[in-house]
Amino acid sequence: KYKTINTSPSDYSKLAPIMFGLKAHPDEFDLEVVVLGSHLIDDYGNTFRLIEQDNFDIGSKLHTIVRGEDEAAMVESVGLALVKLPDVLQRLRPDVLVVHGDRFDALALATAAALMNIRILHLEGGEVSGTIDDSIRHAISKLAHYHACCTRIAEQHLIAMCEDHSRILLAGCPSYDKLLLSQHKGDYMDIIRSWLGDKVQEGEYIVALQHPVTTDIQHSIKIYGLMLDALLSFNKFTLILFPNIDAGSKEMVRVMRKKGIEQHPNFRAVKHIPFEQFIQLVSHAGCVIGNSSCGVREAGAFGTPVINLGTRQTGRETGENVLHVRDADSHNKIYHALELQFGKRYPCSKIYGDGNAVPRILKFLHSIDLNEPLQKTFCFPPVKDPISQDIDHILETQSALAIDLGGTNLRVAIICMRGNILKKYSQPNPHTFEDRMSLLLKMCKETMRDAVSLNCRILGVGVSTGGRVNPQEGVVLHSTKLIQEWSSVDLRTPISDALHLPVWVDNDGNCATLAERKFGHGKGVENFVTVITGTGIGGGIIQHNELVHGSTFCAAELGHIVVSLDGPECSCGSHGCIEAFASGTALQKEAKRLHDEDLLKVEGMDMKLSEPITAVHLISAAKMGNSKADTVLNKASTALALGIINILHIVNPTLVILSGVLASFYQAPVQQVISERALVSTQSTRVVASNLEEPALLGAASMVLDYATRRTY
């Protein structure tokens, strides 16, 4: 006699092929069927009728479920089953009892049979899924006398658990015998439309099935809510099945109803689908999401993309179609996984079966010597851990979204923790506020999508901009003349709202200084100053590893240190500022003056009269012996050096870093003037030229990356 006991609808999909096989050989096998567990519950559709529709005679129906859907109810259900099962087993006295899986009521069944010296064949033992199911499954394996497992690694696990190799059959999953035959049935569109409606097409819908993890019910409920939020945002037709009867399911259903899933036009919420129809729906879905074993097992046979959430299936072998989101701690991460998986097709996997499990199991049953002692033997072989995809590995590069709001261009970049610029985008900066914000958000969203394909996890957004900035509020207080309509602008709120990420904003000079602290010469230096020598003169001050902002956020306006009472007029309205002598704009002005007076070009100098005159021409002329150009540059270098000497005397840094396009030119003369004219105590201060190519972007990124490593700035 071979007796199968069905405890849940999912068990029946695995046991039914074996039951049909046994029934087809009445001369060799005598099949008897007992049904218990959630098969007999109205809320789950009284699915024992599916067994009757398949023309199996149900010998006994045992009501063993104590309602309550919490831990205590599960324990009471096991106890109730243990009370009712002995009478049935005593009456039937089967030679072999076939038990499937890892349900708590299956544990009660195996316990009763083992204590009554009934041989047990356990299906799907040796697998690892990372929840309390593991403990139940392994406990049943220890009670069982024979094993029909699905994969080679599961077989190795059973051997490592001391099970006798001669009593283990590597059969494959019985459900594969049926689903591999059903995959190409021509009526699948009728099935899809019957469950999802006439508008839904093949590959354009999602199947969602999430069960509680009984060892961490509250976290299960949280993940379930995040999954529903992600599905609502993703906005595709979705067939969602109610969770199973385990502890926590009642709370999960409340979450679903609170979010209005059952009334949502894009969702169909159902309690049970016949297996033949369910596998058709899975086979032709655009994606399967949740933590059902069907996702990591049966779906692989079709190449259907799967997103496995949480820890319930951790450790199971999977095909390349499965993407794990084990730490499903945000709606955003699940949404990214949907973007990665939806609509893909993967190679069909036969990890769990090749369609011939039932003949192997029948042959194995036939070979059992009923006179053989039940005592087990033991062995301890090594076992290798399975390797599968994980969202935390796919999004493995922790990175920042860096934005540089320049006067000419608006630039966005993805920058990783090491300071590598993985991708950079640039667009002309629009002149109006509305156009600028619209383009900024558009570029950010496009970059976020690209970050996924670049294996990047974006930790936040850093913004570098000209002018005076309140970094505490993320507001640009006053901008430079280069960026019009850009004062009293809240950058943090719209970017954070659009991207669901934290946002930091600071002045471009401060950002360049932060870049040096994290990636450049300032790394590990407690006190240093950065002076930016570009179109204007700016910079930043690091004191005791912290960036100095000042009481009104205008500290380190280094370009406006006055070094001459009767010097040239500066853009700030004052006279004699460093910027009026040494900035790129000031040098360009002097170059144009010399050119207009026909005093710039020297013999051998490559310069066309039609091209714009810049500071580069002035430097080139000086190098080729032009005394007028050399005089201008000496005056600019001296002015810059005097301003830096003032800085040395005020904040006494260890290091001065020159950044910007003119840094390499100014480095040597500034160092020389300091050694001649600074106080003796500061004459030895080193002046170095920055080697960072994108200080503004790197500094914007460093605000994000320093926060991610719990540093302050």
Side-chain angles (χ1 to χ4, degrees):
K1 293 180 180 179
Y2 294 89
K3 178 174 180 292
T4 71
I5 295 191
N6 283 275
T7 63
S8 72
S10 61
D11 286 332
Y12 183 58
S13 67
K14 310 297 175 67
L15 291 171
I18 301 173
M19 293 163 63
F20 279 111
L22 294 170
K23 189 176 180 180
H25 298 84
D27 296 337
E28 301 176 45
F29 305 105
D30 179 13
L31 173 66
E32 296 192 46
V33 180
V34 173
V35 172
L36 68 151
S38 57
H39 271 297
L40 304 172
I41 298 178
D42 289 341
D43 287 354
Y44 289 83
N46 283 322
T47 49
F48 72 88
R49 294 194 179 96
L50 298 173
I51 302 172
E52 293 177 334
Q53 289 170 10
D54 286 337
N55 294 318
F56 289 110
D57 294 327
I58 299 176
S60 299
K61 297 175 185 175
L62 301 181
H63 292 270
T64 59
I65 295 297
V66 176
R67 300 308 299 272
E69 287 76 37
D70 58 14
E71 297 95 330
M74 291 168 64
V75 177
E76 291 170 4
S77 297
V78 172
L80 183 58
L82 285 171
V83 169
K84 293 188 175 185
L85 279 167
D87 287 342
V88 175
L89 296 179
Q90 186 69 40
R91 174 170 55 84
L92 297 175
R93 297 305 304 177
D95 295 316
V96 178
L97 181 72
V98 182
V99 181
H100 166 264
D102 48 31
R103 299 289 304 155
F104 58 85
D105 24 23
L107 176 61
L109 173 59
T111 301
L115 291 172
M116 296 179 70
N117 290 321
I118 297 171
R119 297 170 189 271
I120 302 168
L121 170 63
H122 184 208
L123 303 179
E124 297 187 8
E127 297 182 19
V128 178
S129 59
T131 66
I132 190 63
D133 293 349
D134 282 343
S135 299
I136 295 174
R137 188 186 310 109
H138 299 334
I140 296 173
S141 292
K142 300 313 300 176
L143 293 169
H145 306 88
Y146 304 95
H147 309 274
C149 61
C150 296
T151 69
R152 181 70 64 185
I153 290 181
E155 180 186 38
Q156 292 176 345
H157 286 161
L158 287 169
I159 293 170
M161 288 163 60
C162 314
E163 298 303 307
D164 185 348
H165 186 275
S166 66
R167 295 188 176 192
I168 301 172
L169 170 68
L170 178 54
C173 182
S175 65
Y176 269 55
D177 289 24
K178 198 167 189 178
L179 64 89
L180 290 176
L181 293 174
S182 304
Q183 181 181 2
H184 302 294
K185 280 189 175 180
D187 63 349
Y188 68 87
M189 283 308 303
D190 292 337
I191 294 171
I192 291 171
R193 287 165 181 161
S194 69
W195 289 99
L196 283 156
D198 294 337
K199 295 181 180 180
V200 180
Q201 299 298 316
E202 177 183 2
E204 295 183 0
Y205 62 91
I206 296 170
V207 174
L209 178 53
Q210 181 87 357
H211 297 307
V213 176
T214 56
T215 49
D216 195 350
I217 293 172
Q218 291 307 312
H219 189 58
S220 292
I221 297 166
K222 177 184 175 183
I223 291 177
Y224 191 64
L226 292 172
M227 178 190 77
L228 295 178
D229 288 340
L231 288 170
L232 286 166
S233 297
F234 202 62
N235 200 31
K236 302 291 183 184
F237 285 105
T238 301
L239 179 67
I240 184 164
L241 282 83
F242 278 62
N244 66 20
I245 201 170
D246 286 351
S249 61
K250 188 187 300 182
E251 290 84 353
M252 290 172 72
V253 172
R254 285 198 193 103
V255 171
M256 182 174 71
R257 286 176 172 158
K258 186 175 181 180
K259 294 181 183 293
I261 296 298
E262 291 171 292
Q263 288 76 42
H264 195 284
N266 278 1
F267 283 77
R268 298 291 185 275
V270 299
K271 293 180 178 177
H272 176 71
I273 301 173
F275 182 70
E276 293 82 357
Q277 297 182 40
F278 182 66
I279 60 176
Q280 292 282 6
L281 290 164
V282 168
S283 171
H284 300 284
C287 182
V288 172
I289 188 170
N291 64 2
S292 169
S293 62
C294 172
V296 299
R297 296 168 63 95
E298 282 82 0
F302 312 125
T304 303
V306 173
I307 299 167
N308 181 59
L309 302 178
T311 60
R312 191 171 184 264
Q313 304 300 337
T314 299
R316 282 200 194 273
E317 298 163 75
T318 67
E320 60 183 286
N321 65 309
V322 177
L323 173 62
H324 291 293
V325 188
R326 295 193 174 101
D327 186 15
D329 53 2
S330 71
H331 153 280
N332 221 23
K333 189 184 288 186
I334 299 173
Y335 188 90
H336 280 322
L338 285 166
E339 287 185 315
L340 277 173
Q341 289 289 76
F342 184 78
K344 285 187 177 180
R345 299 313 295 181
Y346 290 89
C348 295
S349 166
K350 293 186 178 179
I351 292 174
Y352 286 94
D354 60 1
N356 296 299
V358 172
R360 295 189 186 104
I361 292 172
L362 296 183
K363 184 177 179 181
F364 185 63
L365 283 169
H366 200 272
S367 69
I368 293 175
D369 182 358
L370 298 179
N371 296 315
E372 183 182 34
L374 294 176
Q375 183 61 48
K376 296 179 178 180
T377 55
F378 305 94
C379 57
F380 302 90
V383 60
K384 292 178 70 176
D385 291 332
I387 299 173
S388 58
Q389 294 187 76
D390 190 293
I391 191 72
D392 290 329
H393 292 159
I394 287 179
L395 301 179
E396 61 186 1
T397 306
Q398 291 187 324
S399 305
L401 197 67
I403 300 170
D404 177 26
L405 282 162
T408 305
N409 293 317
L410 196 165
R411 300 185 303 155
V412 179
I414 301 169
I415 299 177
C416 71
M417 194 68 76
R418 294 182 179 179
N420 297 327
I421 298 176
L422 304 180
K423 196 96 174 185
K424 184 168 62 175
Y425 313 82
S426 181
Q427 292 283 347
N429 202 345
H431 296 296
T432 66
F433 169 81
E434 292 79 8
D435 291 344
R436 189 176 298 131
M437 286 302 300
S438 176
L439 177 61
L440 172 63
L441 295 177
K442 179 176 180 288
M443 290 177 69
C444 286
K445 289 176 181 178
E446 290 173 352
T447 307
M448 287 291 292
R449 285 195 289 271
D450 291 343
V452 176
S453 62
L454 289 170
N455 298 348
C456 297
R457 180 184 302 162
I458 301 298
L459 302 175
V461 183
V463 183
S464 169
T465 182
R468 187 162 64 96
V469 176
N470 179 346
Q472 298 170 2
E473 303 294 334
V475 173
V476 181
L477 300 173
H478 299 291
S479 182
T480 64
K481 292 181 179 178
L482 294 174
I483 310 177
Q484 301 300 318
E485 294 187 30
W486 204 244
S487 295
S488 300
V489 174
D490 179 2
L491 289 178
R492 175 177 293 164
T493 301
I495 297 174
S496 182
D497 287 348
L499 303 182
H500 306 291
L501 288 171
V503 177
W504 290 264
V505 185
D506 213 331
N507 165 267
D508 49 9
N510 287 337
C511 285
T513 306
L514 292 172
E516 295 294 341
R517 186 184 70 175
K518 188 166 185 65
F519 303 114
H521 293 301
K523 193 171 184 179
V525 180
E526 187 174 358
N527 302 290
F528 71 90
V529 173
T530 299
V531 180
I532 303 171
T533 56
T535 305
I537 301 287
I541 301 170
I542 295 290
Q543 281 284 87
H544 306 300
N545 292 316
E546 300 296 327
L547 184 64
V548 177
H549 282 102
S551 60
T552 58
F553 312 109
C554 66
E557 286 289 354
L558 308 182
H560 302 293
I561 295 174
V562 176
V563 293
S564 173
L565 294 177
D566 56 353
E569 185 178 1
C570 180
S571 61
C572 70
S574 182
H575 288 77
C577 299
I578 297 175
E579 190 169 294
F581 286 103
S583 67
T585 301
L587 295 183
Q588 182 183 32
K589 183 179 179 181
E590 288 296 305
K592 286 181 177 179
R593 179 182 65 78
L594 291 176
H595 178 262
D596 292 343
E597 297 173 4
D598 201 23
L599 298 174
L600 181 63
K601 192 172 182 180
V602 295
E603 186 176 351
M605 184 175 173
D606 184 18
M607 183 178 69
K608 298 175 183 177
L609 294 176
S610 60
E611 65 183 330
I613 305 302
T614 66
V616 174
H617 296 108
L618 188 72
I619 295 170
S620 176
K623 287 180 178 179
M624 299 184 73
N626 185 320
S627 60
K628 298 290 185 182
D630 191 57
T631 299
V632 171
L633 290 175
N634 284 336
K635 189 175 183 180
S637 299
T638 303
L640 179 63
L642 291 175
I644 291 175
I645 288 172
N646 288 334
I647 298 168
L648 300 184
H649 293 169
I650 295 169
V651 296
N652 191 26
T654 306
L655 179 69
V656 174
I657 302 170
L658 298 181
S659 181
V661 294
L662 298 172
S664 59
F665 168 76
Y666 280 131
Q667 188 264 331
V670 167
Q671 184 80 76
Q672 180 65 32
V673 174
I674 289 174
S675 67
E676 295 171 352
R677 303 182 64 167
L679 290 175
V680 174
S681 57
T682 62
Q683 284 180 358
S684 61
T685 305
R686 284 194 311 127
V687 179
V688 297
S690 174
N691 56 11
L692 300 179
E693 292 185 7
E694 295 284 3
L697 286 172
L698 289 172
S702 75
M703 292 188 287
V704 178
L705 301 176
D706 280 351
Y707 169 79
T709 55
R710 297 299 186 268
R711 287 181 58 184
T712 57
Y713 69 95

